[in-house]
Amino acid sequence: IMLITHDLGVVAEMADFVVVMYAGRIVESGTASEIFHHPKHPYTVGLLRSRPVLNEETEELYAIPGSVPNPLELPPGCYFQNRCYNCQERCRESYPDVVKLSETQQRIGRLGGIRYEQHGFRSQSLENVLHNEKRGIWQKRRACESSG
């Protein structure tokens, strides 16, 4: 059965394998456990951060910075470029390749480009992203946005 939804709670409860799409293109896929516990693509990380957490009070839910591109005027290169904390100049020039991370998980990305470790990521887990964001990791994304 294929289930198409924006409801991550439904996905977590019902799916064994998950495909994450942005602007009509697959950005990451893997088992539900891989996607929910070890997201690798910045969009997947942002989606998971934007979920409400039970028994946790918050005034405002997280929103991924930037805006979704107009589907009639998609930019050259990666469609997530104006919202990505790992944006590189070549992300604006061509769409990233698919990178196989395990037998079941893959994402779009650049080989030999900016590595997560250069920005303090040892594992691209949600906990690491939250920690490193507080240390200014998003400065890279903001710099990329202002240059484009």
Side-chain angles (χ1 to χ4, degrees):
I1 295 174
M2 181 185 299
L3 173 68
I4 301 172
T5 183
H6 285 98
D7 188 330
L8 294 175
V10 170
V11 172
E13 287 293 318
M14 299 190 69
D16 295 323
F17 192 81
V18 178
V19 175
V20 179
M21 297 182 75
Y22 182 79
R25 302 215 44 191
I26 295 172
V27 296
E28 184 168 1
S29 63
T31 66
S33 179
E34 288 169 331
I35 298 298
F36 281 90
H37 298 292
H38 304 286
K40 301 296 185 192
H41 190 272
Y43 178 62
T44 308
V45 171
L47 285 178
L48 293 172
R49 287 200 59 215
S50 66
R51 297 181 299 173
V53 178
L54 291 176
N55 301 324
E56 185 177 300
E57 287 188 35
T58 183
E59 291 184 26
E60 190 174 311
L61 290 177
Y62 174 79
I64 299 170
S67 58
V68 179
N70 180 338
L72 300 176
E73 299 174 9
L74 291 168
C78 180
Y79 299 159
F80 194 65
Q81 62 183 269
N82 71 327
R83 305 176 84 184
C84 183
Y85 53 79
N86 267 345
C87 181
Q88 303 171 49
E89 186 56 40
R90 62 186 175 159
C91 296
R92 298 184 184 286
E93 298 165 0
S94 64
Y95 204 80
D97 297 323
V98 174
V99 177
K100 188 172 183 174
L101 303 168
S102 73
E103 288 300 313
T104 54
Q105 189 174 16
Q106 60 185 21
R107 74 171 191 89
I108 61 167
R110 302 289 183 184
L111 291 175
I114 294 176
R115 296 184 181 276
Y116 292 120
E117 293 83 8
Q118 291 174 324
H119 297 288
F121 293 99
R122 302 236 186 322
S123 158
Q124 181 69 355
S125 70
L126 187 55
E127 292 76 21
N128 285 343
V129 170
L130 295 174
H131 173 74
N132 285 305
E133 181 187 42
K134 292 176 185 172
R135 291 180 32 211
I137 230 27
W138 285 82
Q139 291 174 355
K140 170 66 183 157
R141 182 197 52 81
R142 285 193 281 277
C144 195
E145 274 183 357
S146 64
S147 70

